[in-house]
Amino acid sequence: MSLIIGGFSSIMNLPCLLLIIAGTAIGIIFGAIPGLTGTMAISLCLSMTFGMTSIQAFSMLCGLYIGGISGGLISAILLKIPGTPSSIATTFDGAPMAAKGQAGKALGAGLLYSFLGGLVSIIILMFLAPAIASVAIKFGPQEYFAVGVFSLTMLSVMAGKNPVKGVASCVLGLFFAMVGCAPIDNALRYTFGWNKLTGGFALLPCMIGLFAVSELLVSARDGLDDLHSAEVKSYTLRGFGVSISEFVSNAFNFIRSTIIGIGIGILPGIGGGTANVIAYSVAQAQSKQPEKFGTGCVDGIVASESSNNASVGGAMVPLLTLGIPGDTVTALLLAAMLVHGLNPGPLLFIKNPGEVYSIFAILFVAHFAMLAIQYVGMKGFVRLLKIPRHILLPVVILLCAVGAYGNNNRIFDIGCTIFFGFIGYLLIKYEFGLSPFILGFILCSTIETNLRNGLAFSKGDLSSFITRPISGVFLGVAVCVVIWTIIKNIRRKRLATRQDSAK
Amino acid sequence: MSKLKKDKIIGLFLIAFGAFILYFSTGIKMINGASYGVGSAFFPRICGVFLILLGAALSVGDIVKNKKSIETGTAAPVEDCSKMCLASLIRMSVTIVTLVLFVALLRTVGFLICAIFMQFVLMVTLAPEQKRTRKNILGYLIISICTALIIDLLFVKVFDLILPAGILKGVF
């Protein structure tokens, strides 16, 4: 308890509070404008945090995370375009409500349940993360290797439409992380005599390229629509739009969606983008009036918005306790932690408990900031929806280039950003998915180092990876997931063949 | 090119890339005693083998699908690559060349000029056709100059980052 109080007291100063407010506001803007995401906001603001203390830096970055997730509901309801993947399901009922003249009610409900879902998940994170960290502290190399393999398997086979492409994307990520000095013996790999590659590709330029530059290339390919032509629905915001009877009747829906959000957030690589759609589907399936969903019913907004913000707390659990990012935003937060000298993992709770509990406190306060900023500044955010993306994107790219350069003061890193941007573009174009590549890139060192250390500890005995209970369970589950995916695909193909022959 | 044929080519590319990884893994120096049987070449080799297998799975799967779709007469339509594709290709090429020039000229020309050039070209390239009037283009130039100046001042003066000054060294 004293650690929690300590965390709150360390952020209760003007610079931190201002950074939380600024971060949340910028995050909301990026979340609200279709085509820009919270991930991109963190990419470009990361460079501004280099000169800050770690707590100040995370005040801004966590604010961006919360704002980025929540901001998507504005465009989902008023433009019928989800600002971020986390708000896809909000569009299903938010847009019909806006069409019926209930945009204010939809925005109010979305705001309220984003706030509540996020807040509950942060409270759970505060108590769950230290407990998991106390278990993870006993992990040896075998366990770390198994958790790494489990995370990669889960993400690769479940992230995209085609598991083969998902796994290939992950393997490509692993390969690019191997360039440079190998762990343990420092043997040079794939540098081709180029000294600049000796240190390998830095994480930050790689991430910025994959998220921001690839988006620029996709926009260049598809061309940018003029958002001025999109009709923004008018609204009047009174209270939170939800009556007491609606609040009571949605209590179970809220709890269930929040649990789904936290659970999905904990699973590696599957964040708010999946959580909101699953929570919405479950709410519809369990509803007494499923036919109302999609016609402008508050229950749908409750499910979508509470689950996407709840995934924030969930995604932070594997990041802080094991150093494994739960989604793309937490992958960037991992990079930020490394830049600020924090090594995520169970030891973080022992070495830097002050910083960990400060992050919890920042996430908690950022939810209040998000609620207040969106409620008060809604009109301003709606106006910002009209800023043309062909002006915003080049500015974002320039800031990202500065961020990549500022990491090590090397122009080479800006080159890497463009290179990875092009790789990201190809991965998106050919439907490989970015998330498996990123997780492969991040986890390569963990998996390889722990495999080699594990073999060294067990004197070359591979069976120790299976006989140790925790690593055995994780590897077993990973194998089961692969088998289940293969069976599922075979069944799907058979069904498709039957349907074709029936035609 | 149809999606199915694309998958076959992607599969072949993955096989070639896997072979490249395997071939160059032979040059990785093994340091005796560093580990039990698993040296620094082990992981790249695993990756290479996986990529070859995955590439083969993608190509074979694609060939089988293609065969079936021809038999059932449900072959995927060939993409129409007309004016739309050309405009897209031009935008893509200009964007990539601009980014490459930005990096190539950064040290010699300096951040400020490169930033103005990159932003201006990208804004004009990405703008919808009706937003490319003379007045708009002038607006893009002014925005590019202002944002480049603000970012340069912000990072150099406030965040103490040393950005390459290039030919403007001593001026700012």
Side-chain angles (χ1 to χ4, degrees):
Chain A
M1 200 62 195
S2 63
L3 283 167
I4 295 176
I5 295 166
F8 276 97
S9 63
S10 69
I11 64 156
M12 287 302 160
N13 54 67
L14 196 63
C16 282
L17 291 175
L18 284 177
L19 284 166
I20 292 173
I21 293 168
T24 311
I26 297 170
I28 294 168
I29 295 168
F30 271 75
I33 298 173
L36 302 185
T37 58
T39 315
M40 213 187 261
I42 294 179
S43 304
L44 76 91
C45 289
L46 194 51
S47 53
M48 296 178 192
T49 69
F50 290 161
M52 298 177 190
T53 64
S54 56
I55 294 175
Q56 286 174 346
F58 279 93
S59 297
M60 185 171 204
L61 298 173
C62 292
L64 288 165
Y65 186 13
I66 304 299
I69 291 260
S70 313
L73 75 96
I74 301 173
S75 49
I77 293 167
L78 298 179
L79 282 179
K80 209 182 171 181
I81 306 167
T84 58
S86 304
S87 303
I88 291 171
T90 310
T91 321
F92 301 161
D93 279 297
M97 279 178 83
K100 285 194 276 186
Q102 297 177 327
K105 186 181 167 76
L107 283 171
L111 259 176
L112 178 67
Y113 284 98
S114 284
F115 169 74
L116 292 176
L119 212 61
V120 170
S121 83
I122 301 305
I123 293 168
I124 291 175
L125 167 74
M126 280 184 192
F127 294 99
L128 187 65
I132 293 179
S134 65
V135 175
I137 198 98
K138 290 165 193 155
F139 279 15
Q142 285 89 345
E143 283 75 21
Y144 271 111
F145 170 79
V147 172
V149 170
F150 165 77
S151 307
L152 289 187
T153 313
M154 285 289 289
L155 179 59
S156 305
V157 299
M158 294 176 97
K161 290 176 198 164
N162 187 339
V164 174
K165 286 185 177 179
V167 178
S169 173
C170 174
V171 175
L172 287 171
L174 286 169
F175 168 72
F176 281 105
M178 281 177 209
V179 174
C181 278
I184 297 174
D185 57 10
N186 283 335
L188 285 179
R189 299 189 292 200
Y190 304 100
T191 57
F192 304 107
W194 199 10
N195 286 339
K196 281 179 179 162
L197 280 179
T198 308
F201 293 112
L203 179 59
L204 193 61
C206 164
M207 302 280 269
I208 293 175
L210 286 168
F211 291 120
V213 180
S214 64
E215 181 61 38
L216 173 76
L217 294 174
V218 170
S219 302
R221 182 194 65 189
D222 299 340
L224 291 172
D225 299 328
D226 190 2
L227 273 179
H228 286 269
S229 58
E231 190 198 347
V232 180
K233 299 280 178 196
S234 57
Y235 69 94
T236 322
L237 204 57
R238 277 196 211 102
F240 287 109
V242 188
S243 64
I244 293 174
S245 63
E246 278 175 323
F247 187 81
V248 173
S249 66
N250 272 300
F252 183 66
N253 180 16
F254 163 70
I255 294 166
R256 183 183 51 215
S257 305
T258 304
I259 292 169
I260 290 173
I262 296 170
I264 289 176
I266 290 174
L267 292 176
I270 315 170
T274 313
N276 77 104
V277 178
I278 292 179
Y280 183 89
S281 311
V282 173
Q284 188 177 18
Q286 301 286 315
S287 171
K288 285 173 187 164
Q289 296 166 307
E291 69 283 354
K292 273 193 169 181
F293 279 73
T295 60
C297 130
V298 175
D299 302 27
I301 293 178
V302 172
S304 170
E305 286 303 319
S306 49
S307 64
N308 66 19
N309 268 63
S311 69
V312 171
M316 293 299 283
V317 172
L319 172 72
L320 294 172
T321 59
L322 298 166
I324 293 172
D327 58 13
T328 49
V329 189
T330 43
L332 265 170
L333 288 180
L334 176 99
M337 290 180 104
L338 296 173
V339 166
H340 286 279
L342 300 174
N343 256 326
L347 281 177
L348 188 69
F349 286 76
I350 294 166
K351 285 184 180 169
N352 307 86
E355 277 83 354
V356 173
Y357 282 88
S358 297
I359 291 174
F360 293 160
I362 292 163
L363 289 168
F364 194 85
V365 174
H367 273 92
F368 284 92
M370 178 271 291
L371 184 73
I373 292 169
Q374 282 208 74
Y375 195 84
V376 176
M378 186 62 81
K379 280 208 158 58
F381 292 122
V382 172
R383 252 181 235 134
L384 285 170
L385 284 178
K386 294 204 162 192
I387 294 181
R389 275 190 297 161
H390 63 270
I391 291 177
L392 269 181
L393 264 178
V395 180
V396 169
I397 294 299
L398 184 64
L399 282 166
C400 287
V402 175
Y405 175 81
N407 193 30
N408 283 316
N409 280 4
R410 290 197 307 177
I411 293 175
F412 171 75
D413 284 337
I414 307 181
C416 290
T417 303
I418 294 167
F419 172 70
F420 280 104
F422 193 65
I423 289 179
Y425 167 75
L426 293 176
L427 292 174
I428 294 169
K429 183 175 162 95
Y430 296 111
E431 296 167 348
F432 277 68
L434 285 182
S435 312
F437 184 94
I438 292 158
L439 208 63
F441 191 91
I442 290 173
L443 290 183
C444 179
S445 163
T446 306
I447 292 176
E448 187 178 10
T449 309
N450 285 300
L451 172 71
R452 294 175 71 177
N453 280 340
L455 283 172
F457 288 155
S458 62
K459 294 180 180 169
D461 180 16
L462 257 176
S463 65
S464 68
F465 286 86
I466 303 158
T467 50
R468 287 171 70 113
I470 296 175
S471 72
V473 167
F474 274 108
L475 289 175
V477 174
V479 171
C480 290
V481 168
V482 172
I483 294 169
W484 173 71
T485 309
I486 293 170
I487 293 170
K488 195 178 76 176
N489 275 325
I490 291 171
R491 274 188 191 162
R492 197 189 292 160
K493 274 176 193 165
R494 275 188 191 160
L495 192 71
T497 317
R498 264 184 228 153
Q499 280 171 348
D500 281 345
S501 55
K503 279 177 192 171
Chain B
M1 200 189 297
S2 74
K3 186 180 174 293
L4 289 178
K5 278 184 184 166
K6 262 185 200 166
D7 276 356
K8 191 167 79 182
I9 293 166
I10 295 165
L12 291 174
F13 171 77
L14 288 180
I15 292 170
F17 197 65
F20 162 86
I21 294 172
L22 277 181
Y23 177 76
F24 284 100
S25 72
T26 53
I28 298 169
K29 283 179 188 162
M30 292 285 282
I31 296 164
N32 289 332
S35 56
Y36 280 84
V38 177
S40 293
F42 176 75
F43 236 60
R45 280 178 192 156
I46 294 272
C47 283
V49 171
F50 258 90
L51 277 182
I52 290 172
L53 292 175
L54 292 164
L58 211 57
S59 293
V60 171
D62 185 59
I63 291 165
V64 173
K65 261 190 211 168
N66 215 3
K67 219 175 182 181
K68 273 185 189 167
S69 59
I70 289 168
E71 281 169 9
T72 53
T74 54
V78 174
E79 280 174 21
D80 176 31
C81 197
S82 53
K83 197 182 165 188
M84 181 79 176
C85 280
L86 186 70
S88 167
L89 195 72
I90 291 169
R91 274 197 305 266
M92 280 282 290
S93 311
V94 173
T95 305
I96 292 169
V97 169
T98 309
L99 291 175
V100 171
L101 278 177
F102 175 77
V103 178
L105 299 174
L106 196 57
R107 192 178 298 280
T108 45
V109 179
F111 174 78
L112 203 60
I113 295 172
C114 283
I116 294 169
F117 160 77
M118 182 184 77
Q119 288 194 103
F120 177 67
V121 175
L122 289 182
M123 280 179 200
V124 175
T125 311
L126 295 174
E129 218 157 310
Q130 68 272 24
K131 296 273 176 191
R132 283 193 209 143
T133 59
R134 198 173 282 181
K135 196 178 151 193
N136 282 330
I137 289 175
L138 186 68
Y140 299 149
L141 186 64
I142 294 167
I143 294 169
S144 304
I145 294 170
C146 292
T147 48
L149 271 170
I150 292 168
I151 291 170
D152 189 83
L153 285 173
L154 182 75
F155 280 90
V156 175
K157 303 286 178 198
V158 182
F159 298 121
D160 291 331
L161 190 71
I162 304 159
L163 291 167
I167 52 174
L168 293 179
K169 198 171 183 180
V171 179
F172 280 95

